[in-house]
Amino acid sequence: MYGMTHDESAAVPTVLVVDDDTGIRALIRAALWEDPYQVIEAANGEEALAALETQHPVVILLDLGMPILDGPEFVKAAHQRGVTPKICVVSSEPTGRAAASQLGAAAFLPKPFTIAEVRAVVASLVAGTEP
């Protein structure tokens, strides 16, 4: 798990990126670098649950298919712990949009995506509006 901030002491919204693809995590981190977010990363749902012990993300960008603990299992475990941040499912699966809806996700971002799309969906969710 990795974290990156502009200024650790600043009160900025935290975004948790959960994806087993290091390239996707790096792309999202780079897309959000210029925005005022603390970006933390997890390679699977288990790492993401561990991050929730110390971090309080406002938004989670969540892949569905991951080893160890997949997206749906992570959402179930997070809800059992009383953690309910806004989730954006990020998936290339043909059933991704339906799965996002079934999970109660606030948004869906299909892979491949653009930097502008990532920035727009995160900004909308942080602001409390639907993308």
Side-chain angles (χ1 to χ4, degrees), residues 4-8 10-16 32 35-40 55-60 86 122-123 125-128:
M4 180 189 325
T5 65
H6 292 286
D7 179 359
E8 293 277 344
V12 297
T14 299
V15 177
L16 173 58
L32 298 176
D35 297 318
Y37 307 122
Q38 175 180 356
V39 178
I40 55 175
Q55 302 292 321
H56 305 287
V58 174
V59 173
I60 297 176
K86 296 173 189 163
V122 170
L125 292 174
V126 168

Side-chain angles (χ1 to χ4, degrees), residues 58-128:
V58 174
V59 173
I60 297 176
L61 298 176
L62 179 68
D63 186 23
L64 293 175
M66 296 176 290
I68 303 174
L69 190 67
D70 68 15
E73 292 168 334
F74 164 77
V75 171
K76 182 179 178 182
H79 285 171
Q80 288 173 342
R81 294 175 183 204
V83 178
T84 57
K86 296 173 189 163
I87 295 174
C88 174
V89 168
V90 182
S91 178
S92 61
E93 295 181 20
T95 58
R97 188 175 300 278
S101 178
Q102 207 169 33
L103 290 173
F108 175 73
L109 186 62
K111 292 178 185 176
F113 51 80
T114 67
I115 288 174
E117 289 170 329
V118 171
R119 293 179 77 191
V121 75
V122 170
S124 293
L125 292 174
V126 168

Side-chain angles (χ1 to χ4, degrees), residues 16-40:
L16 173 58
V17 180
V18 188
D19 199 304
D20 59 324
D21 184 325
T22 56
I24 295 291
R25 292 195 317 268
L27 178 62
I28 292 172
R29 184 178 59 242
L32 298 176
W33 176 246
E34 293 182 22
D35 297 318
Y37 307 122
Q38 175 180 356
V39 178
I40 55 175

